[in-house]
């Protein structure tokens, strides 16, 4: 996520990007495993950068090594809470 933001001129450091994650563990075939991960990103962005931030959120998963590793094995869900700084 940080790389996708930085590529669009949105700084992610310091304290501009953090995340909360929740996982669901189930035993659909008698063996416990993580089946679902929900991530909520919290972003603070410069004024006027909301379209770029939303685009980063829409595409970052295709370049994220973790997301690509888990794809097909675990359901991934992500959302964002975006705070735009005043102009």
């Amino acid at each position: 996520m940080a790389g996708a933001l930085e590529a669009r001129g949105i700084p992610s450091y310091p304290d501009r990007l953090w995340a909360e994650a929740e996982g669901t563990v189930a035993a659909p075939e008698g063996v416990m495993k993580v089946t679902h991960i929900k991530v909520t990103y919290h972003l603070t962005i410069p004024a006027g950068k909301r379209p770029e931030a939303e685009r980063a959120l829409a595409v970052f998963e295709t370049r994220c090594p973790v997301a690509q590793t888990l794809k097909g094995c675990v359901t991934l869900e992500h959302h964002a809470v975006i705070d735009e700084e005043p102009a």
Side-chain angles (χ1 to χ4, degrees):
M1 173 57 77
L5 292 168
E6 298 278 345
R8 290 162 178 81
I10 301 171
S12 63
Y13 180 85
D15 301 328
R16 293 179 161 267
L17 169 65
W18 62 280
E20 297 175 90
E22 300 173 29
T24 300
V25 176
E29 298 167 1
V31 178
M32 292 181 66
K33 63 181 184 178
V34 175
T35 58
H36 185 110
I37 297 173
K38 176 182 174 184
V39 180
T40 301
Y41 295 100
H42 298 266
L43 307 172
T44 301
I45 62 172
K49 287 289 194 176
R50 181 173 290 271
E52 292 89 340
E54 290 176 348
R55 177 72 180 145
L57 288 164
V59 302
F60 87 94
E61 194 172 305
T62 60
R63 301 279 186 181
C64 175
V66 174
Q68 291 303 306
T69 300
L70 298 175
K71 187 176 180 179
C73 300
V74 177
T75 302
L76 299 174
E77 177 183 346
H78 58 89
H79 306 277
V81 176
I82 301 173
D83 290 323
E84 193 168 342
E85 295 174 325

